[in-house]
Amino acid sequence: MTNTVHDTYARLRDHVRTTGTLTSIDALLGWDERCLLPSHGGEHRAEQMTVLAGMIHARQTDPQLGEWLAELADSPLAADPASDTAANIRQLRKQYDKKTRLPRALVEALARAAVRGQQAWEEARKTDNFAHFQPHLEQMISLKRQQADCIGFRETRYDALLDDFEQDALTSDVARVLEALREQLVPLVAAIAGSSRRPDVTILERSYPIEAQQMFGRQAAERIGFDFKSGRLDVTAHPFCSTMGPHDVRLTTRYDEHYFNGGFFGILHEAGHGLYEQGLRAEEFGLPTGEAISLGIHESQSRMWENLVGRSEAFWRHHYPLACAAYPDALADVPLEKFYFAINDVRPSPIRVEADEATYNLHILVRFELEQALIDDQLKVADLPGVWNEKYHAALGIKPPSDADGVLQDIHWSAGLIGYFATYSLGNLYASQFFEQATADLGNLDDAFEHGDYAPLLDWLRKNIHSQGQRYSATELVRRVTGSALDHEPLMRHLWDKFGPLYGL
């Protein structure tokens, strides 16, 4: 192998890692915007992030980058498709081809609109005023249509936007998977609704002091493996996890003194994302081999730790005595069985992030359908609140009490994250399939959870998923890890195995 090829790859690597550093600065500005930025600082923050987005785009579309990738495409460094070098060359070529189709002016416009949109969304949600947010969403939808048209697509505009989060996925394929899931979910939810058994959810509405929630949630995140020497936990309007670079992964959540589930399971969910980020190879930072392969795979980690671990009876056999010590007034008269049933209550509710495992994917299906209609110009933004409420009534049999708890509840559309929502359901599917395989490989994980031992599962995830970066596509990763293609049956087995005994089904 010639030194020229090695030298070219070294220059490529240095260029991309520097771009990654700029991207991490953008992430830091975004975290600060949603956690600490003064309310009047939004306009200048929009300009800061617009300038940075332009700089990053210029580096991602630099013709010199294209020349290096062309030289490396047929080199020995790309010969083994599973090697780090080949994976980086392949993935960077895909990114380059995609980014070069986007005008810098459009990239900057999207960055500016995202900051302004998030600021407007937060105010609109506080005041339950969709009209305040409407023009910002209309602008964002228009820009995202332009983005899709510039990039190009195989079947629908939505394909181009979905690709940002689930690489190479087609809307039609995702729709088929989610429809198969819906067909089995609806009878399960109906069977639960018809059961005479009901948990006492008022247990979760007692007084859970915020300071105690912060401490208990942080300790739980630490126990499952999140490293707080390389991360932190803060408060925000809408929970998220953000990575500033190696050894700086930040979790956020929100608390309600009279609702235990929100803060605690929000922390576990975001800690699942954080564990994935902390499991990526630091030496590959900025390169595809140091980044997650897809949002669906990322969501599989958050949903696994939140639900398959955090809502399991084995988890609480270890953690419940600790919870009783943290909340003596709230839980003194509550046996573990009643608490476990309460945190696994199944009933339709308006808020996605607080939805139970059985109804959660119905929330996603509503959003998946609505954002396709918005992008395809089949639904006007002005009509969105009414159509949202109609779909909620059809899917869950309820009507949101307000726009704040309805169409305004999620931050995603304000930030331009259109195509993201489907990855939550894909994540649920991936999570159950991975967890089944981990159980087959490691034995009964409940025994470890009951003793507060999460290392076997985390080590398995680090080896099979986290450390792989973008070496394989999401589709190929699932097949390599589990031996089969993505399938909704493992999730349905999990749901029936859990809720069948609870509800006497």
Side-chain angles (χ1 to χ4, degrees):
M1 194 182 304
T2 65
N3 287 333
T4 301
V5 173
H6 280 297
D7 291 344
T8 298
Y9 185 77
R11 288 192 290 271
L12 172 77
R13 183 184 173 95
D14 289 345
H15 179 95
V16 172
R17 284 175 66 88
T18 299
T19 305
T21 299
L22 285 174
T23 302
S24 72
I25 295 170
D26 180 74
L28 181 60
L29 288 174
W31 171 86
D32 178 80
E33 176 205 344
R34 292 168 63 182
C35 293
L36 298 174
L37 185 70
S39 59
H40 289 181
E43 191 59 33
H44 184 61
R45 180 54 47 86
E47 293 310 307
Q48 290 174 316
M49 296 183 78
T50 298
V51 169
L52 195 54
M55 294 171 62
I56 292 169
H57 183 70
R59 292 186 62 84
Q60 291 173 329
T61 58
D62 188 335
Q64 178 65 76
L65 181 60
E67 291 175 14
W68 289 333
L69 288 167
E71 179 183 342
L72 293 167
D74 296 320
S75 74
L77 290 175
D80 177 4
S83 69
D84 284 349
T85 54
N88 284 329
I89 293 165
R90 180 176 64 250
Q91 290 296 103
L92 288 170
R93 181 80 239 184
K94 283 185 178 180
Q95 294 172 19
Y96 181 79
D97 290 345
K98 187 173 180 178
K99 296 291 185 181
T100 52
R101 296 175 190 153
L102 294 174
R104 178 169 177 166
L106 177 57
V107 171
E108 292 174 338
L110 281 162
R112 183 180 291 110
V115 178
R116 290 175 175 171
Q118 288 174 84
Q119 298 284 319
W121 166 81
E122 191 161 345
E123 178 63 25
R125 190 166 188 267
K126 283 180 184 175
T127 58
D128 190 24
N129 182 6
F130 181 78
H132 179 72
F133 178 53
Q134 181 179 327
H136 295 273
L137 184 55
E138 287 172 339
Q139 181 189 25
M140 181 58 75
I141 295 298
S142 175
L143 290 171
K144 298 303 283 189
R145 287 178 186 145
Q146 293 176 51
Q147 176 186 334
D149 290 342
C150 287
I151 292 171
F153 45 87
R154 285 174 57 183
E155 296 176 359
T156 69
R157 273 179 175 156
Y158 193 80
D159 288 344
L161 305 180
L162 179 64
D163 187 76
D164 281 346
F165 308 105
E166 203 68 15
Q167 193 178 113
D168 298 327
L170 289 176
T171 308
S172 57
D173 291 337
V174 173
R176 278 193 292 272
V177 171
L178 297 188
E179 189 55 40
L181 178 61
R182 188 209 304 259
E183 288 178 4
Q184 293 197 24
L185 270 179
V186 171
L188 171 61
V189 172
I192 292 172
S195 171
S196 60
R197 297 186 185 182
R198 283 288 174 268
D200 179 7
V201 294
T202 64
I203 292 168
L204 307 175
E205 297 165 0
R206 297 177 179 183
S207 176
Y208 294 87
I210 302 301
E211 186 175 345
Q213 288 193 54
Q214 291 172 328
M215 184 177 298
F216 184 68
R218 179 188 170 97
Q219 289 172 345
E222 198 164 25
R223 287 189 194 100
I224 66 173
F226 186 78
D227 179 8
F228 277 98
K229 292 181 180 178
S230 298
R232 56 181 292 128
L233 173 63
D234 295 279
V235 178
T236 190
H238 193 291
F240 67 98
C241 170
S242 189
T243 299
M244 315 307 158
H247 313 300
D248 188 358
V249 179
R250 307 193 184 190
L251 316 179
T252 68
T253 195
R254 61 191 182 201
Y255 302 99
D256 180 339
E257 182 180 349
H258 295 286
Y259 187 60
F260 171 82
N261 281 12
F264 183 77
F265 290 108
I267 290 172
L268 283 191
H269 180 97
E270 301 308 335
H273 284 303
L275 289 172
Y276 191 175
E277 291 294 314
Q278 290 184 343
L280 295 168
R281 289 182 290 164
E283 69 275 13
E284 295 295 295
F285 168 72
L287 295 160
T289 46
E291 297 177 349
I293 183 56
S294 80
L295 260 294
I297 299 296
H298 225 308
E299 289 300 334
S300 77
Q301 304 305 286
S302 58
R303 299 295 286 174
M304 183 183 298
W305 287 102
E306 176 190 358
N307 292 325
L308 299 174
V309 178
R311 292 184 196 265
S312 71
E313 188 173 4
F315 178 90
W316 286 103
R317 281 199 291 269
H318 176 78
H319 275 82
Y320 195 59
L322 304 174
C324 291
Y327 312 109
D329 295 337
L331 298 176
D333 63 340
V334 181
L336 170 58
E337 294 75 17
K338 286 189 176 182
F339 179 82
Y340 173 66
F341 198 3
I343 63 169
N344 284 293
D345 173 48
V346 173
R347 73 183 69 197
S349 63
I351 306 297
R352 173 186 63 84
V353 297
E354 296 172 2
D356 58 83
E357 289 180 81
T359 63
Y360 182 90
N361 292 296
L362 299 177
H363 291 257
I364 298 306
L365 284 159
V366 168
R367 290 157 174 77
F368 180 56
E369 293 168 358
L370 286 174
E371 60 185 13
Q372 288 179 71
L374 287 168
I375 291 300
D376 290 341
D377 204 14
Q378 296 173 351
L379 173 63
K380 302 298 181 185
V381 171
D383 298 328
L384 184 57
V387 177
W388 176 287
N389 291 346
E390 290 171 6
K391 282 191 171 289
Y392 256 75
H393 187 266
L396 291 151
I398 60 173
K399 180 180 178 182
S402 65
D403 285 341
D405 287 334
V407 69
L408 287 170
Q409 67 182 269
D410 296 304
I411 196 172
H412 301 61
W413 292 341
S414 71
L417 302 179
I418 296 169
Y420 190 125
F421 278 119
T423 67
Y424 287 114
S425 285
L426 292 175
N428 286 330
L429 296 169
Y430 290 139
S432 297
Q433 201 160 336
F434 287 144
F435 196 80
E436 276 197 357
Q437 188 62 49
T439 300
D441 291 346
L442 301 173
N444 187 355
L445 289 168
D446 281 355
D447 293 339
F449 298 165
E450 188 171 350
H451 292 91
D453 184 6
Y454 311 100
L457 176 60
L458 181 57
D459 291 346
W460 186 91
L461 294 170
R462 289 264 157 89
K463 175 186 176 183
N464 290 288
I465 298 170
H466 304 174
S467 63
Q468 299 302 320
Q470 295 185 9
R471 187 187 311 276
Y472 308 111
S473 68
T475 299
E476 186 178 359
L477 181 66
V478 172
R479 191 177 291 279
R480 293 180 73 92
V481 172
T482 70
S484 60
L486 180 63
D487 185 1
H488 66 280
E489 292 294 345
L491 175 58
M492 292 308 305
R493 280 194 291 271
H494 161 70
L495 294 176
W496 276 104
D497 287 348
K498 170 182 277 189
F499 296 116
L502 282 173
Y503 286 92
L505 306 180

